Amino acid sequence: VPGHLYVLTGETNAGKTACAVNFIYRAWKQKKKVLYFALEPDVGVVEYIAGIHHRKRWSEISEDDLKMDLPGMNIFTKDSHPKLSDLLKTIETMERQDLIVVDHIGYFTNDAGDRRSKTDQESDAIKRIVGAAKKKKTAIMIIAHPRKPMGSNKKNNPLTMNEISGSAAFKQDATDVMILHRTKNPEDQYNMTNTDEAFLLLPKIKTGKSGTVPFHFIPDSPVMIEKVSYGSYQAEMF
């Protein structure tokens, strides 16, 4: 929805980037203009897009698969946008985008040279991004990390909004909050590995109903698919 700020969070390794790339790819397939700020230094977003675009598992993606011509899809990295002001300037000066993803917001809210607390930095960053979304009439999705360290959720309970880093600002300023939850492998005594089953918990939604949206990740690939289509999709495409 134009002007909305969507927050996507989930535990470490739950698949937040894969989820966001699936969102932006599907928007692109609908002839929308999309922009992805890939700020994670160790994440190759192009590989995610290639896997989704070519419907391939990670091991099957080739160098040729990475040479995609996808007009209307733009990707920027942290090298070109090291500061929040750089990101906001790009949003404000380029043509209007239908969906913008910021992966992830934490890179702009942990400046050791800033005398403000991390929470204050987060609150200010979110307000500025909300302002940009409203000014450009674009939808912006930011990925936020949780406060819980990986492996601490022994009961495999879904996160709540109170467990998002900077949760107060997210609850107050974000239009919509989506929490990605992955079912853990019951045979893993350390509770570290995931199954392909997942759902989005929607605790705050301004246009629609709160609740859950179940889906699956295709094993060993970045592709996510609705639960009702999972069996046929896996058989036909993989």
Side-chain angles (χ1 to χ4, degrees), residues 91 96 124 131-132 153 168 172 180 217 219 222 230:
I91 293 175
R96 176 190 171 275
D124 177 65
N153 187 2
Q172 294 168 6
L180 173 62
F217 281 101
Y230 175 67

Side-chain angles (χ1 to χ4, degrees), residues 58-74:
W58 293 116
S59 60
E60 299 169 342
I61 299 173
S62 67
E63 290 295 325
D64 288 338
D65 291 330
L66 302 179
K67 300 172 184 177
M68 299 168 290
D69 182 19
L70 306 178
M73 180 180 292
N74 296 290

Side-chain angles (χ1 to χ4, degrees), residues 1 8 13 28 64-65 84 99 102 115 136 142 144 150 168-169 211 223 228 237:
V1 177
L8 173 63
N13 288 344
W28 176 81
D64 288 338
D65 291 330
L84 178 61
L99 175 61
V102 181
R115 294 185 177 182
K136 294 292 289 191
I142 61 175
M150 183 179 178
V223 178
V228 295
M237 305 304 176

Side-chain angles (χ1 to χ4, degrees), residues 136-151:
K136 294 292 289 191
K137 295 181 173 60
T138 184
I140 299 180
M141 176 184 292
I142 61 175
I143 296 180
H145 284 190
R147 292 174 175 173
K148 284 186 174 182
M150 183 179 178

Side-chain angles (χ1 to χ4, degrees), residues 47-117:
E47 283 81 359
Y48 280 81
I49 296 171
I52 297 167
H53 183 64
H54 298 293
R55 296 172 178 173
K56 289 187 174 182
R57 300 185 192 275
W58 293 116
S59 60
E60 299 169 342
I61 299 173
S62 67
E63 290 295 325
D64 288 338
D65 291 330
L66 302 179
K67 300 172 184 177
M68 299 168 290
D69 182 19
L70 306 178
M73 180 180 292
N74 296 290
I75 301 173
F76 292 120
T77 64
K78 195 172 189 298
D79 291 337
S80 61
H81 292 76
K83 298 180 180 179
L84 178 61
S85 57
D86 300 319
L87 179 145
L88 293 172
K89 183 177 180 181
T90 293
I91 293 175
E92 292 170 1
T93 57
M94 74 183 305
E95 63 178 330
R96 176 190 171 275
Q97 303 292 298
D98 294 289
L99 175 61
I100 297 172
V101 171
V102 181
D103 182 8
H104 67 89
I105 188 63
Y107 281 98
F108 298 129
T109 60
N110 197 20
D111 184 359
D114 193 324
R115 294 185 177 182
R116 297 174 301 170
S117 67

Side-chain angles (χ1 to χ4, degrees), residues 202-234:
L202 312 175
K204 182 180 181 182
I205 299 294
K206 282 295 179 71
T207 53
K209 295 181 179 180
S210 58
T212 58
V213 179
F215 64 93
H216 284 261
F217 281 101
I218 298 294
D220 304 314
S221 88
V223 178
M224 56 185 273
I225 191 71
E226 292 88 347
K227 186 175 181 179
V228 295
S229 306
Y230 175 67
S232 60
Y233 189 91
Q234 188 177 23

Side-chain angles (χ1 to χ4, degrees), residues 10-13 145-154 159 163 184 190-192:
E11 291 189 348
T12 302
N13 288 344
H145 284 190
R147 292 174 175 173
K148 284 186 174 182
M150 183 179 178
S152 63
N153 187 2
K154 299 300 182 183
L159 296 176
E163 293 165 318
K184 299 293 184 182
Y190 301 107
N191 218 33
M192 304 283 278

